Amino acid sequence: FGKQAGLAWMWWFSPFFCFTMLFLALELVFSKQRKTLPVLGAFWFTASAYSICWSNFPAYIVGFGAMGMVAAYHLLAARTLARGIVAALVLAYAAAGFVLQLYPPWMVPLAYAFAAMLVGVVIRDQTWKGLSLRQVGLTGGLSIALAAGLVATFIYAVLPELDALAHSLYPGRRRLNGGDYTLAQLFGAIYNFRTTREAPLNASRFNASESSGFILFLPTVLFAVLAMARVRRRMDIVAWLLLGLGITQILFCRFHFPQWLADLTFWSHTQGFRTQIAIGLVSIVLSLYLLRPEPEAKPLSRFERIGLGAVALATGAFFLWIGASLQNIRAVFADDEPLGGGRIPPAMYLMSAAVVLLAVLLVLGKRRLFATLMVAALLFTAGNFNPLSVGFSPPEQSALYKAINRVVEDDRAAGLDSLWLASGGPPEPLLGTVLRVMGA
């Protein structure tokens, strides 16, 4: 279909893959619920700034993780050998795809998140009842063998490179123990409409990818669980496992863990600020739990209204504190702006009020209104970060391409492979990338 269609396929496959697989995974988590929750959750993750500003790489690996979770569940739930074999084949493919991302800083926290969801769903649904141990052994063995075979073909092809990588100082021998990301940087993603374009959060110079994150309602979920029995009734074992995991991952971001514990749990292979890919996923799923319909819809009692007020106040105070800390780290809103200035600029008061509104709708379970506002917030935050553009003239027609290509062709004709060094030029697009596109 041509280069343009090929590029479009490569670019858009990741978000569509992630949305589809995450939708299927959330269908298992929210079984017998309306489709609204899985659709919202899948879109929320895929359209978040963290996914988009990292060029959809997070969506790609999460797609494989969700695919593996769905396949593992159906392998355990299959009551016929044919269904079990199909699930085993899908699980093997997903496991190999996940492992071959070769990026432990994302793989480790995501593995915990999907494992927590899978274990919780299996325990809640009692999937093991009526299960044939012989069939599970057969299909499980098939899945492991096929996944190992797929990974082995890759390892065989690049074993010297992997060996060099494993013995390198970075990343092969690097071992970490967290404590490298502040709460302001983690929860300040509500300002990604600015921070991914102007104010870096985790680098000495501007870096849109490192400045991106998720709109996190995990604090609201925690406040609501502590203050309102109505919210606790919406939780099940999956939610409780995810809540514990989310809190642990946030603590890993903020504080140093004992090195032996980090090594034991494999978290020594990830930085604290890289775990936000899993924190974002956990926060989204827990937020959907607050949107679950009540078995018996009843108006709020006086005590529950007090609890809702406490949740709103706590959420507002928390995000105001986050805003003040963020403004201190990086001046997100300059003094000369209409809503800038001060330790907490007026713009941050407005943003905190908006978060409180969404938090109240979340706790009240107002699905349609919350979903509408959240989708609008996601599109406003990163909807135009990677704009759709067509109509560029082919690079082959440019004078620069012809000049570079002439050198490349002359070298190849002489049996040489030339190495090009690029310096200077604008930060985007990278000059080295331009040279590669043109054949160097």
Side-chain angles (χ1 to χ4, degrees):
F1 298 107
K3 294 180 179 180
Q4 184 165 302
L7 178 61
W9 175 270
M10 184 189 74
W11 180 263
W12 285 105
F13 178 82
S14 295
F16 279 103
F17 174 55
C18 179
F19 177 88
T20 303
M21 293 303 158
L22 202 50
F23 169 79
L24 295 175
L26 293 176
E27 269 197 323
L28 296 178
V29 175
F30 298 101
S31 59
K32 301 178 182 179
Q33 302 286 337
R34 297 178 183 179
K35 303 294 184 183
T36 307
L37 298 184
V39 170
L40 175 60
F43 180 82
W44 188 344
F45 184 92
T46 308
S48 290
Y50 193 83
S51 295
I52 291 177
C53 294
W54 278 104
S55 302
N56 296 320
F57 295 142
Y60 193 56
I61 189 171
V62 167
F64 277 117
M67 186 187 214
M69 173 191 161
V70 173
Y73 177 87
H74 284 288
L75 186 146
L76 296 174
R79 294 300 179 264
T80 65
L81 183 59
R83 292 172 68 92
I85 290 176
V86 171
L89 296 177
V90 176
L91 177 57
Y93 183 83
F98 187 82
V99 170
L100 291 182
Q101 298 306 301
L102 295 179
Y103 193 58
W106 279 348
M107 292 164 58
V108 172
L110 283 176
Y112 274 96
F114 282 112
M117 283 192 280
L118 176 62
V119 170
V121 169
V122 168
I123 293 175
R124 183 196 65 196
D125 296 349
Q126 298 182 344
T127 311
W128 64 84
K129 286 190 174 181
L131 191 63
S132 169
L133 295 180
R134 180 181 179 184
Q135 178 178 305
V136 172
L138 178 63
T139 55
L142 172 64
S143 181
I144 294 172
L146 181 56
L150 289 171
V151 174
T153 58
F154 175 82
I155 294 176
Y156 177 77
V158 294
L159 185 58
E161 289 82 357
L162 288 179
D163 183 65
L165 186 67
H167 290 86
S168 65
L169 185 62
Y170 166 81
R173 296 181 179 179
R174 180 185 65 174
R175 295 296 179 267
L176 307 165
N177 64 346
D180 52 20
Y181 210 49
T182 66
L183 296 182
Q185 292 169 311
L186 179 63
F187 291 98
I190 61 173
Y191 299 102
N192 271 173
F193 63 90
R194 293 290 297 263
T195 59
T196 56
R197 292 164 174 82
E198 298 180 27
L201 294 184
N202 195 36
S204 57
R205 56 175 296 191
F206 179 70
N207 186 321
S209 301
E210 296 291 4
S211 299
S212 62
F214 295 91
I215 300 176
L216 300 173
F217 285 99
L218 196 54
T220 299
V221 174
L222 180 59
F223 298 149
V225 165
L226 295 174
M228 302 180 68
R230 177 185 293 250
V231 171
R232 291 193 293 271
R233 287 196 299 268
R234 298 175 191 170
M235 308 279 279
D236 60 17
I237 185 172
V238 183
W240 290 115
L241 286 174
L242 289 178
L243 182 59
L245 177 63
I247 293 172
T248 303
Q249 289 176 326
I250 290 173
L251 292 175
F252 183 76
C253 283
R254 186 63 186 87
F255 302 105
H256 293 292
F257 278 27
Q259 191 62 53
W260 66 266
L261 181 59
D263 291 335
L264 181 66
T265 57
F266 296 101
W267 281 11
S268 59
H269 295 277
T270 182
Q271 306 99 311
F273 57 86
R274 289 288 180 258
T275 62
Q276 64 179 310
I277 189 174
I279 294 173
L281 178 61
V282 167
S283 177
I284 290 170
V285 178
L286 288 172
S287 298
L288 298 180
Y289 266 95
L290 268 62
L291 294 175
R292 294 176 75 186
E294 284 283 332
E296 298 180 10
K298 296 180 180 179
L300 291 177
S301 65
R302 182 171 178 272
F303 183 75
E304 286 177 325
R305 286 196 294 269
I306 294 174
L308 178 61
V311 172
L313 286 174
T315 299
F318 178 83
F319 280 99
L320 274 178
W321 172 64
I322 290 295
S325 302
L326 194 63
Q327 184 73 4
N328 182 54
I329 297 173
R330 295 285 189 271
V332 180
F333 297 99
D335 292 341
D336 56 357
E337 291 187 81
L339 294 176
R343 187 164 183 263
I344 306 180
M348 289 186 165
Y349 282 103
L350 292 176
M351 280 299 301
S352 299
V355 172
V356 170
L357 172 61
L358 286 170
V360 170
L361 294 175
L362 195 63
V363 176
L364 292 176
K366 302 295 183 180
R367 289 179 296 280
R368 290 185 179 180
L369 186 53
F370 177 86
T372 301
L373 294 177
M374 177 52 62
V375 168
L378 293 171
L379 294 178
F380 176 74
T381 298
N384 69 339
F385 189 84
N386 294 312
L388 301 176
S389 301
V390 295
F392 295 105
S393 60
E396 293 86 354
Q397 296 179 2
S398 69
L400 180 61
Y401 177 90
K402 294 175 182 178
I404 293 172
N405 199 252
R406 189 179 301 114
V407 177
V408 172
E409 292 300 321
D410 288 345
D411 285 348
R412 288 176 179 170
L416 303 173
D417 289 320
S418 55
L419 174 66
W420 293 66
L421 302 180
S423 65
E428 297 292 346
L430 298 175
L431 189 54
T433 302
V434 173
L435 291 176
R436 289 191 61 185
V437 168
M438 294 184 172

